[in-house]
Amino acid sequence: MENEFVFSSDTAALDPATDPSASTMFPESNENEPEGLTFYHMDLYESKGRLEIFPEEPAGRGDGALGETTEESTELGEDFRSSNRSAYDLEKEVDELTKLYGLDEDKEIDQELLGGNIATAGILESKEIPAVKEDVAAGSYGSIYNAPKSSSPVNGSQHKEHMESTEEQELPGKEDESQHLHNAKSYDELHNHASSKEELRSDDRQTEQSIQPNSEEEAADIYCATCKIPIRAFDKLFGDHKDHEVTQLANAVESAKEEIQKNMCKLEEQVTEMENFAGHLEEIFITVEENFGRQEQKFEMHYNEVMQTLTQRYEEKVEGLGEEKKQKLEALYGQLVSCGENLDTCKELMETIQELCKDKEKADFIKAAAPVVDRLGEFLKKDMDLVLSTLPDFEDRVIDFSDVQQLMDSINTIAAPSAPVINPQAPNSATGTSVRVCWGLFSDDTVEFYQLYYKQVSDDTPSEAQAELMLKVKEAYCTVTKLVPNTQYEFWVSALNTAGVSAVSERAVYVTAPSPPIIKRKESRSCENAALVCWESGNMNPVDSYTVELSKLTNGENGDIITESIVGIPNCETLIQLEPGQSYVISVRAVNMGGPSERSEPLSIHTTGTYFYLNEDTAHPLLSVLEDGLTIACSEIENLECDLSFRDNGFTRCIAILGSMIPFQGKHYWEVEVDENMEYRVGVAFENTHRHGYLGANSSSWCMRHIVTPARHKYEFLHSGTTPDIRITIPPKRIGILLDYDNWKLSFFNLDIAQHLYTFNSHFQHYVHPCFALEKPGVLRIRNGIAMPTSITLL
């Protein structure tokens, strides 16, 4: 029976108190070794004595002995120790990498990294033999072998079998590799197996080096949006930024540049705003200094006024008191003098009576007593004023301080307001005769009212010569009336309160709305699909644009309905597309910065046919236009060579007139009523047709001519002086004329019998005018704005 090495992982078995064999770990207890057990100190693996412990075995044993030399056994022991140390270090590194990159649950990567070395590392990683771990960490290797009780020594084969059985017990998951070691029959096989393990460990180290990034050479190439820092791609895959949102570094740079550019624009706006605000603050600073100076002067003025009033009141009261004192003293003094005089008289009478009463003769007594008695009687008859003429007390004098109190109340701490800020003109804030002006304050100044100044701005009159007008208003806005339309005005404003008047604001130019335009009715034309509306500005100064408003006439209860507004028209005419067979009312407004004008007088247009008017500026002097504007007449004059007043643009030889131009593509139709004995020409002509010639005699006019000869009525269709040979037997009384721009045709019809007379086929390079002429006195009537008869449509 084969001997087996038993590796005990029970720590209790190592306690000498419970297991006597535990004492074999200590040298002192070798003397009490039980039989059959041999214990070796771990230092034996590092000494030559180990070679003596494992003697050479015969090569022919079938129990799996190594059967090699002592030198080979030493080599095997060193390989085995190196394998154990490398497996332990590799497992620690793999555990650290697994925790670092979050690969704890990936069993396949663990197996690839650890390979067959996990079996050996498991022995060293046993948690139940801490002493062995400490020895391995210290770099020394040893084992405690527990063999069956036998007297035979432990040999190399037994050592190998013990290690294999130990690996099987500690790591049952590595049974295949343990079995491979157990079945090794020779040193060569075990040596080759150890070499393969070394190669695996080398590959693992290369794998680790390939996984670990080179922080010195590899630069950040992506951007972590969560942490807002640049990182390496390795950190996204295996590092702390694994779950963070990342983007390309170039995209992050572009986004940062765009954000910085936006912030730069905002910063520039803030800088501009703060500079403007600083300017306003500077203005307020200057205003505060000015207000302080004015307030100080006002305080001084109030103080002087109050002191002057008090001094005046004091002097008035002291002067009154002195007058009263003087009166009292004079009255008392007069009464005192009178009393002294009466007292002296009494004393004198008493002395006289005493002298009289002395012993005298009776005759002498009587003589002397008679005057004394008379004098005494007169004195006694005199009333004695023994009442004080005046009292010593003075009446209380109260000074009236009401006006002083008013002055004191007027002295307050309210500062004069700062200069208002007048606003630019708001759109549509003006009419033809008024404009609404608004302003504001920078602070919460106390304002009792404002003074709004304005004057007209004119290029003809210097600004200094313009009269300034002023309005007092309570609110921070004012509607100024009685102004001239489409005129610029300059406005500025100041604020007032009890402390004083503010500085004036900056001046702002406002403009009133224009006057309504004037529609030129005779120059306005229309057809079934469009209308050309012409007008005059009606304003001395230029306007910005015009607006045309269309109202379609309906039979509804609401009356006119605005169907369209055409804005931004720069000139005084416009071509408007309309619906056929409708009636419209068209009005025009002029627009400038102040707003639109009132509507012009309306123009009625009916899209039932082509409308035009006769241009009297082109008429021959013998031709007149009647009141309806569409009837012409020729007066009878014997001598055509008499002096006539020709117009600059009028015909001189042909008694003719042009109608207004027809500037619309498509078909246009009108009629002419004539007398069968009348000689006339009707057709169309260019604007520049020769005024000194006859219609139809040049290349710029096309016409139908009728003349009466003794033999017959002659009809000609003239262009460039030529006419086709056409005979018309029935003279027409109502001629229909159809102008077709698109097909380059001009056709004439006898409406009385629905007969087509002739058609010119000519390319009209320009728009044409209807033209009419009379060669003898008579009347020719024109009908336009009518629909084309059905009979002509069918021809």
Side-chain angles (χ1 to χ4, degrees):
M1 185 175 179
E2 296 180 355
N3 295 330
E4 295 180 357
F5 289 96
V6 179
F7 181 82
S8 176
S9 61
D10 189 358
T11 56
L14 301 177
D15 189 359
T18 57
D19 191 352
S21 63
S23 61
T24 60
M25 296 184 62
F26 306 98
E28 302 83 58
S29 58
N30 287 339
E31 53 187 349
N32 297 326
E33 293 178 357
E35 291 187 8
L37 292 178
T38 303
F39 295 91
Y40 302 99
H41 196 272
M42 295 174 66
D43 291 337
L44 291 177
Y45 286 97
E46 303 296 334
S47 63
K48 295 182 179 180
R50 177 179 177 279
L51 300 177
E52 300 175 359
I53 297 174
F54 299 101
E56 183 178 355
E57 292 291 333
R61 295 185 57 181
D63 55 357
L66 295 177
E68 297 293 338
T69 62
T70 306
E71 214 171 40
E72 294 171 343
S73 299
T74 305
E75 226 175 341
L76 176 63
E78 291 176 356
D79 291 339
F80 183 74
R81 286 198 310 274
S82 175
S83 175
N84 289 340
R85 185 185 299 109
S86 299
Y88 176 76
D89 294 339
L90 179 61
E91 185 182 23
K92 287 184 63 178
E93 293 176 358
V94 169
D95 288 342
E96 291 176 359
L97 288 174
T98 302
K99 293 180 182 179
L100 179 61
Y101 301 122
L103 303 177
D104 301 270
E105 298 178 1
D106 197 344
K107 302 299 182 180
E108 296 179 359
I109 296 180
D110 287 344
Q111 293 174 2
E112 291 177 4
L113 293 175
L114 295 177
N117 296 327
I118 294 179
T120 307
I123 300 173
L124 303 175
E125 197 67 17
S126 175
K127 297 182 180 179
E128 298 185 3
I129 311 179
V132 176
K133 282 189 175 183
E134 293 174 0
D135 291 339
V136 172
S140 62
Y141 297 86
S143 302
I144 301 175
Y145 302 96
N146 190 359
K149 294 181 180 181
S150 173
S151 59
S152 61
V154 179
N155 54 27
S157 175
Q158 291 174 337
H159 173 73
K160 172 187 173 185
E161 292 175 355
H162 169 72
M163 294 303 298
E164 290 175 349
S165 62
T166 305
E167 291 179 6
E168 293 176 0
Q169 291 177 4
E170 289 298 317
L171 295 175
K174 299 296 179 178
E175 294 176 358
D176 295 338
E177 186 177 357
S178 300
Q179 186 67 28
H180 175 72
L181 291 174
H182 182 71
N183 295 331
K185 302 299 181 179
S186 66
Y187 170 77
D188 292 335
E189 294 178 353
L190 185 59
H191 182 72
N192 293 336
H193 181 73
S195 300
S196 64
K197 287 186 178 182
E198 284 295 331
E199 293 176 359
L200 178 60
R201 286 195 296 272
S202 176
D203 294 339
D204 292 341
R205 294 190 192 99
Q206 294 178 1
T207 303
E208 292 181 38
Q209 293 176 358
S210 64
I211 294 177
Q212 292 293 337
N214 191 343
S215 59
E216 296 181 356
E217 298 179 359
E218 185 177 357
D221 53 359
I222 59 175
Y223 179 77
C224 178
T226 304
C227 300
K228 299 185 183 303
I229 57 173
I231 61 173
R232 299 167 299 178
F234 177 84
D235 296 333
K236 168 60 180 174
L237 296 176
F238 304 103
D240 297 335
H241 305 273
K242 181 178 181 181
D243 298 328
H244 294 180
E245 182 181 355
V246 298
T247 184
Q248 293 294 329
L249 192 59
N251 297 339
V253 171
E254 292 297 327
S255 300
K257 288 182 178 178
E258 292 178 1
E259 187 67 23
I260 291 174
Q261 185 65 27
K262 292 179 182 178
N263 293 334
M264 282 293 295
C265 295
K266 294 181 180 179
L267 186 60
E268 290 177 358
E269 294 177 358
Q270 290 183 357
V271 168
T272 303
E273 184 177 357
M274 293 188 68
E275 287 178 350
N276 295 335
F277 183 70
H280 296 324
L281 286 178
E282 185 177 358
E283 293 178 359
I284 295 176
F285 183 86
I286 297 173
T287 303
V288 169
E289 288 187 340
E290 294 176 354
N291 290 342
F292 174 77
R294 287 196 295 268
Q295 190 71 11
E296 186 179 13
Q297 294 176 0
K298 189 177 180 70
F299 281 161
E300 184 178 359
M301 180 185 67
H302 277 287
Y303 173 78
N304 294 334
E305 189 175 356
V306 170
M307 294 303 298
Q308 182 179 359
T309 302
L310 290 175
T311 303
Q312 182 180 356
R313 295 289 187 274
Y314 171 77
E315 292 176 353
E316 290 176 356
K317 293 303 179 182
V318 169
E319 184 179 359
L321 190 61
E323 290 292 333
E324 185 180 359
K325 170 187 175 184
K326 180 179 178 182
Q327 293 175 2
K328 285 180 177 294
L329 291 178
E330 288 179 354
L332 291 175
Y333 180 75
Q335 192 175 16
L336 181 60
V337 171
S338 176
C339 182
E341 291 176 353
N342 291 332
L343 183 59
D344 292 340
T345 303
C346 289
K347 289 181 178 180
E348 183 183 356
L349 290 174
M350 287 295 294
E351 292 177 354
T352 302
I353 292 173
Q354 290 177 358
E355 288 293 332
L356 186 59
C357 292
K358 289 182 178 181
D359 295 339
K360 287 185 179 182
E361 293 181 0
K362 293 180 180 180
D364 295 333
F365 178 77
I366 290 299
K367 289 180 181 180
V372 173
V373 173
D374 294 336
R375 183 180 175 188
L376 181 59
E378 291 177 1
F379 178 77
L380 293 175
K381 289 179 181 179
K382 186 178 179 181
D383 295 332
M384 300 298 295
D385 187 8
L386 301 178
V387 180
L388 292 174
S389 59
T390 182
L391 296 176
D393 298 332
F394 288 85
E395 63 181 31
D396 294 334
R397 294 180 178 271
V398 179
I399 301 177
D400 185 10
F401 288 106
S402 58
D403 52 351
V404 178
Q405 186 63 39
Q406 292 179 357
L407 292 174
M408 295 296 294
D409 294 339
S410 65
I411 303 176
N412 48 56
T413 58
I414 298 176
S418 58
V421 179
I422 194 164
N423 299 336
Q425 184 173 9
N428 302 325
S429 61
T431 65
T433 57
S434 66
V435 64
R436 181 183 176 89
V437 184
C438 300
W439 58 88
L441 294 174
F442 278 111
S443 58
D444 297 332
D445 290 337
T446 302
V447 178
E448 292 186 359
F449 62 90
Y450 298 93
Q451 290 178 339
L452 178 63
Y453 301 89
Y454 65 98
K455 66 179 180 180
Q456 183 177 341
V457 178
S458 176
D459 296 335
D460 300 333
T461 306
S463 178
E464 296 79 8
Q466 294 288 344
E468 296 183 359
L469 301 175
M470 190 268 289
L471 295 175
K472 289 185 178 182
V473 293
K474 287 286 187 180
E475 296 79 12
Y477 60 88
C478 180
T479 300
V480 184
T481 59
K482 298 180 180 180
L483 304 178
V484 180
N486 198 31
T487 304
Q488 292 183 344
Y489 287 86
E490 198 173 41
F491 290 88
W492 64 99
V493 65
S494 62
L496 292 85
N497 60 14
T498 56
V501 184
S502 72
V504 296
S505 67
E506 295 184 356
R507 302 195 176 196
V509 176
Y510 282 57
V511 61
T512 53
S515 299
I518 302 171
I519 293 180
K520 299 178 180 180
R521 299 179 181 276
K522 292 187 177 182
E523 296 184 14
S524 299
R525 286 139 281 172
S526 66
C527 65
E528 292 184 352
N529 301 310
L532 179 66
V533 183
C534 304
W535 61 86
E536 293 179 356
S537 174
N539 295 273
M540 296 296 295
N541 297 324
V543 298
D544 296 341
S545 63
Y546 298 92
T547 299
V548 175
E549 296 179 352
L550 285 74
S551 300
K552 185 191 298 184
L553 296 179
T554 62
N555 296 325
E557 298 179 356
N558 296 331
D560 298 350
I561 300 176
I562 301 294
T563 57
E564 186 178 0
S565 292
I566 305 173
V567 300
I569 302 173
N571 303 319
C572 290
E573 66 177 23
T574 184
L575 182 63
I576 309 170
Q577 299 298 321
L578 303 175
E579 298 178 5
Q582 300 292 333
S583 296
Y584 292 89
V585 174
I586 299 177
S587 58
V588 184
R589 296 177 186 264
V591 181
N592 65 6
M593 187 175 64
S597 68
E598 298 294 329
R599 291 182 184 177
S600 65
E601 291 293 329
L603 172 67
S604 298
I605 289 179
H606 306 281
T607 55
T608 54
T610 301
Y611 283 87
F612 58 84
Y613 293 90
L614 298 177
N615 187 357
E616 298 185 22
D617 292 338
T618 63
H620 189 276
L622 297 179
L623 200 65
S624 60
V625 180
L626 302 185
E627 293 180 357
D628 61 357
L630 293 173
T631 302
I632 59 175
C634 179
S635 303
E636 184 175 355
I637 298 178
E638 295 181 356
N639 188 3
L640 296 179
E641 296 180 359
C642 62
D643 294 335
L644 296 175
S645 177
F646 293 98
R647 297 179 175 90
D648 294 337
N649 195 32
F651 287 92
T652 58
R653 296 183 64 185
C654 182
I655 307 174
I657 188 173
L658 295 180
S660 51
M661 182 188 294
I662 303 176
F664 314 108
Q665 292 293 332
K667 296 180 179 181
H668 304 280
Y669 175 80
W670 63 93
E671 298 176 358
V672 180
E673 294 180 356
V674 297
D675 186 87
E676 61 180 7
N677 295 320
M678 183 187 306
E679 294 184 359
Y680 55 84
R681 299 179 189 225
V682 293
V684 297
F686 288 139
E687 172 69 29
N688 61 351
T689 188
H690 193 45
R691 299 293 195 269
H692 301 296
Y694 288 91
L695 295 175
N698 49 49
S699 61
S700 60
S701 59
W702 299 258
C703 68
M704 171 184 173
R705 181 189 182 193
H706 172 242
I707 56 176
V708 181
T709 64
R712 62 184 178 88
H713 293 274
K714 183 178 181 181
Y715 292 92
E716 298 176 339
F717 295 92
L718 299 170
H719 176 61
S720 297
T722 62
T723 179
D725 186 11
I726 296 177
R727 289 181 176 269
I728 298 175
T729 58
I730 301 176
K733 296 181 180 179
R734 192 158 62 100
I735 303 172
I737 302 174
L738 176 61
L739 173 64
D740 190 349
Y741 278 121
D742 297 336
N743 296 315
W744 305 343
K745 293 181 179 181
L746 176 65
S747 302
F748 297 88
F749 301 89
N750 184 351
L751 298 178
D752 298 330
I753 58 175
Q755 179 187 12
H756 174 248
L757 300 178
Y758 183 76
T759 297
F760 288 100
N761 291 296
S762 178
H763 179 61
F764 301 107
Q765 298 178 351
H766 308 284
Y767 290 120
V768 297
H769 298 251
C771 59
F772 310 91
L774 291 172
E775 297 187 357
K776 287 186 178 181
V779 176
L780 185 148
R781 294 180 178 85
I782 304 165
R783 296 181 61 204
N784 62 14
I786 57 178
M788 186 186 308
T790 308
S791 58
I792 294 180
T793 307
L794 298 176
L795 290 176

